[in-house]
């Protein structure tokens, strides 16, 4: 049995919206809300919050301790090293990379990407749903082997390859076998990540309207609600950030 570990990178030092991941929705810190959704993954063995050694990130470590969540503190700027060190510490065979500013992440989509990776039976080093833009911004999932992560850690030299964990892998298709997971319907026009106050307002509306009584609502159910309430999409429509592998 492979040890499949979800590693969520998290820090307080966001430049656009500082401390965004511990801002609350109906009294629940966003990071905790995201964790509670991810906990419904049926394939992951562990969920780890990987934060930094920056003194401000003690708030994240304390939140994890208070809620019996596994955490790890590592390099602030070399996020690739933080992931590699966390994967070694928790003895991960397969790593699932998630960003902490995506509170609506769907555990069923997470499991779909993990399962697609596992079904390759070691013929794939890296699988993700972001190589092609078909999922909402905020539903990004990457799954890769410990071997691929170690190779990236040892070989990646460019600053953005150290800061963003996986660029060395997906930029070197001659070295790694890649698998792209696409959605049947292109939902890339949806923005579900949190970078600005308007994003937080958008997420808050969705959570308060439909998710307080059912935290397990899946991606398509959320899409149906949003598309039947078009004004909600207007809340953060001014932020047209292009989807990015980073």
């Amino acid at each position: 049995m492979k040890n499949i570990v979800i590693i969520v990178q998290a820090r307080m030092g966001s430049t656009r919206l500082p401390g965004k991941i511990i801002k609350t929705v109906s009294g629940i810190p966003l990071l905790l809300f995201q964790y509670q959704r991810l906990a419904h993954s049926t394939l992951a063995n562990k969920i780890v919050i990987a934060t930094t050694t920056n003194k401000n990130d003690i708030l994240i470590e304390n939140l994890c301790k208070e809620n019996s969540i596994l955490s790890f503190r590592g390099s602030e700027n070399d996020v690739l090293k933080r992931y590699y060190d966390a994967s070694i510490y928790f003895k991960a065979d397969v790593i699932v990379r998630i960003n902490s500013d995506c509170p609506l992440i769907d555990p069923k989509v997470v499991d779909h990407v993990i399962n697609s990776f596992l079904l390759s039976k070691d013929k794939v080093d890296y699988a993700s749903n972001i190589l092609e833009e078909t999922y909402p911004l905020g539903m990004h999932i990457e799954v890769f082997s410990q071997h691929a992560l170690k190779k990236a850690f040892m070989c990646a030299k460019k600053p953005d390859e150290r800061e963003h964990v996986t660029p060395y892998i997906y930029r070197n298709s001659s070295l790694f076998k890649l698998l792209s997971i696409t959605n049947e319907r292109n939902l890339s026009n949806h923005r579900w990540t949190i970078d600005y106050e308007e994003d937080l307002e958008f997420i808050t509306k969705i959570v308060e309207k439909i998710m307080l009584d059912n935290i397990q609502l899946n991606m398509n159910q959320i899409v149906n609600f949003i598309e039947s309430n078009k004004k909600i999409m207007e809340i953060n429509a001014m932020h047209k950030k292009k989807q990015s592998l980073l």
Side-chain angles (χ1 to χ4, degrees):
M1 294 290 290
K2 294 183 183 293
N3 185 26
I4 301 170
V5 181
I6 294 175
I7 301 180
V8 180
Q9 62 189 71
R11 66 188 181 99
M12 293 293 294
S14 169
T15 54
R16 288 177 292 236
L17 189 58
K20 60 185 179 181
I21 61 172
I22 63 168
K23 291 185 179 294
T24 61
V25 175
S26 293
I28 306 171
L30 285 169
L31 182 60
L32 180 57
F33 183 85
Q34 182 192 49
Y35 176 87
Q36 290 172 344
R37 281 180 64 76
L38 287 172
H40 292 284
S41 165
T42 61
L43 294 178
N45 302 110
K46 295 183 180 72
I47 303 171
V48 175
I49 307 301
T51 190
T52 87
T53 53
N54 186 301
K55 63 180 181 180
N56 294 327
D57 287 329
I58 189 68
L59 294 173
I60 295 174
E61 183 180 38
N62 288 341
L63 177 66
C64 290
K65 286 180 178 178
E66 290 165 5
N67 292 279
S68 301
I69 298 171
L70 296 174
S71 66
F72 181 88
R73 299 186 75 176
S75 175
E76 181 173 13
N77 297 315
D78 190 343
V79 189
L80 175 55
K81 183 179 190 305
R82 194 195 317 168
Y83 261 76
Y84 179 70
D85 290 346
S87 73
I88 295 298
Y89 185 84
F90 289 100
K91 298 180 172 62
D93 299 309
V94 176
I95 298 93
V96 183
R97 178 175 178 248
I98 302 288
N99 288 316
S100 59
D101 56 1
C102 304
L104 300 186
I105 198 84
D106 185 345
K108 293 185 184 301
V109 178
V110 173
D111 282 347
H112 174 55
V113 180
I114 294 173
N115 192 52
S116 298
F117 177 87
L118 296 176
L119 287 175
S120 73
K121 298 188 183 300
D122 299 322
K123 293 180 180 179
V124 167
D125 300 301
Y126 168 96
S128 82
N129 65 349
I130 62 176
L131 293 173
E132 301 170 71
E133 297 179 9
T134 61
Y135 281 86
L137 178 59
M139 195 62 64
H140 290 179
I141 301 146
E142 297 175 287
V143 180
F144 41 92
S145 66
Q146 171 62 236
H147 173 75
L149 179 60
K150 181 178 180 179
K151 192 166 187 176
F153 173 71
M154 298 296 291
C155 299
K157 304 300 181 186
K158 296 178 181 178
D160 69 334
E161 292 174 347
R162 308 300 303 190
E163 181 185 357
H164 296 292
V165 186
T166 55
Y168 183 83
I169 298 175
Y170 57 70
R171 288 173 179 169
N172 289 281
S173 57
S174 63
L175 300 177
F176 303 97
K177 290 163 284 188
L178 312 179
L179 175 64
S180 176
I181 312 298
T182 58
N183 195 43
E184 290 183 2
R185 179 187 167 198
N186 190 336
L187 298 172
S188 60
N189 63 310
H190 285 263
R191 177 187 172 84
W192 297 359
T193 190
I194 296 182
D195 286 316
Y196 304 97
E197 288 287 352
E198 291 84 2
D199 296 328
L200 179 60
E201 182 183 352
F202 170 79
I203 296 295
T204 299
K205 288 282 188 185
I206 293 171
V207 171
E208 290 182 345
K209 291 288 185 181
I210 61 172
M211 299 186 76
L212 287 180
D213 295 326
N214 187 3
I215 199 171
Q216 294 189 59
L217 282 181
N218 64 40
M219 179 183 72
N220 290 326
Q221 290 172 309
I222 297 170
V223 167
N224 290 340
F225 171 75
I226 293 171
E227 293 186 346
S228 63
N229 295 270
K230 296 289 187 180
K231 287 191 175 181
I232 288 180
M233 291 188 75
E234 296 174 5
I235 294 172
N236 63 348
M238 72 288 295
H239 301 300
K240 298 292 186 181
K241 177 182 174 183
K242 188 180 186 303
Q243 294 218 19
S244 168
L245 287 169
L246 302 181

